[in-house]
Amino acid sequence: MEDTPQSIQSWVENYNLLSLEWRVTIAVFAMVCATALVAFIVSRIIARLERKFSETKNLWDDAFLHALRLPAVGFVWLQGVYWAANIAKRYSDAEIFKANNTILKIGIIWLLVWTLWRFVKQAEGILASPAKMRRPMDYTTVLAVSKLARAVVVITAALVIMETLGYSISGVLAFGGIGGIAIGFAAKDLLANFFGGLMVYLDRPFKVGDWIRSPDQEIEGTVEHIGWRLTTIRTFDKRPLYVPNAAFTNISVENPSRMTNRRINETIGIRYVDVAEISSIVHDIREMLENHEEIDSDQTLIVNFAQFNHSSLDIMVYTFTKTVEWVKYHAIKQDVLLQISEIIGSYGAEVAFPTRTLHVADAVRLERDAEQGQADEDGEGGDRPDYREADSLSDYNKDGKADKTTYGDVDS
């Protein structure tokens, strides 16, 4: 593969009708054109094979051919350009042509890496697709394995390329071992985020698409991406939130996406005048919930008269819906509350609201007003305290005058 085709080499050496420069130029041009033609043919062949194998049930041959198509075309171009450069090298002293062999080796390694990279990407789509797999793997797990596989491919390729360029791998590894300590101290936060992301992949407290929140920090939203350093969360006001993975090792995380039911927990107050109807209202509400098609009767269901409140008789309603969808849950909750309202109204009762009753001692005040009025008529009011302007004798100062006028504000 490293030698130029002999037919082209012979033509350049023996065809004397043209000058050497023209013969070399034509040979290089012909080689490039032949490379383009072969690359086109290879691309069409692989495309036809893809269409043929797509009719089979095996998905992995499709993935391999799709991953191979562009690297195969790239290999044809790499080999063709190498042969063209090899022809020019024989008749040119340019320094660039001396790197032909090295470029060919590095190019082949890069094409292999490209093929494996594309195949891993195709495998990632197959393993996580419900349409392609009977039991698809969790997308977050597939993504973690995919990233790890690609990292292994890239690191291995980098080491092989360094060996090809003449660098000692053992020396590089030794330097990495010594410098790893310094790098570890300098990039401890980066490493903490890396291992935090690794723990997320291993423990799987959440995955892409889950709604999560933390009671320890203001973190709530839908997970969009889990990286090795950051996790991207889309908050409910549609803003992206970037959380370092190290944070998840120190905080509690709730995952409402994995809840089995949603809870309805309401306290409904009835007026005190409707105390005789409490038992019947509680019974009808419980029966309505037990027969409601959207209420999960297998979960805890409580409907009881709970307490005597300040201005109401409180009924506790505690139950769970079958759905976990946020919008549908609120529609069910609305229907339940409206039906409870109808049950209360059917007994002539009403939902209570905060009230206050003021008791005023009217008999005492009328008697004091009458005494004061009689004193004024007799002209004996003089310096006597004005009871109409004071609530009690304690409201008077030492001069016998009222300190305040609170007659209309007295509560009891």
Side-chain angles (χ1 to χ4, degrees), residues 69-144:
R69 182 177 180 182
L70 293 180
V73 174
F75 174 75
V76 172
W77 275 104
L78 177 67
Q79 187 63 49
V81 171
Y82 169 76
W83 280 337
N86 210 27
I87 294 173
K89 177 183 177 182
R90 292 176 178 271
Y91 306 100
S92 174
D93 296 330
E95 292 291 332
I96 190 173
F97 295 119
K98 295 180 180 180
N100 282 354
N101 293 333
T102 303
I103 292 175
L104 178 65
K105 294 176 181 178
I106 294 175
I108 292 175
I109 296 171
W110 178 77
L111 289 173
L112 290 174
V113 171
W114 191 17
T115 303
L116 292 174
W117 187 285
R118 287 168 59 85
F119 181 74
V120 170
K121 192 69 176 178
Q122 291 295 313
E124 176 185 323
I126 292 174
L127 293 174
S129 175
K132 297 179 180 180
M133 299 290 292
R134 292 182 179 179
R135 295 182 180 179
M137 295 179 62
D138 178 64
Y139 180 71
T140 304
T141 303
V142 173
L143 187 63

Side-chain angles (χ1 to χ4, degrees), residues 274-306:
D274 302 320
V275 64
E277 309 297 339
I278 284 288
S279 180
S280 300
I281 292 173
V282 168
H283 176 271
D284 288 0
I285 293 175
R286 184 183 294 110
E287 185 177 4
M288 180 270 295
L289 292 175
E290 289 174 349
N291 297 324
H292 199 291
E293 60 181 5
E294 295 295 340
I295 298 298
D296 191 350
S297 58
D298 294 332
Q299 302 297 326
T300 303
L301 193 155
I302 302 175
V303 182
N304 287 107
F305 172 42

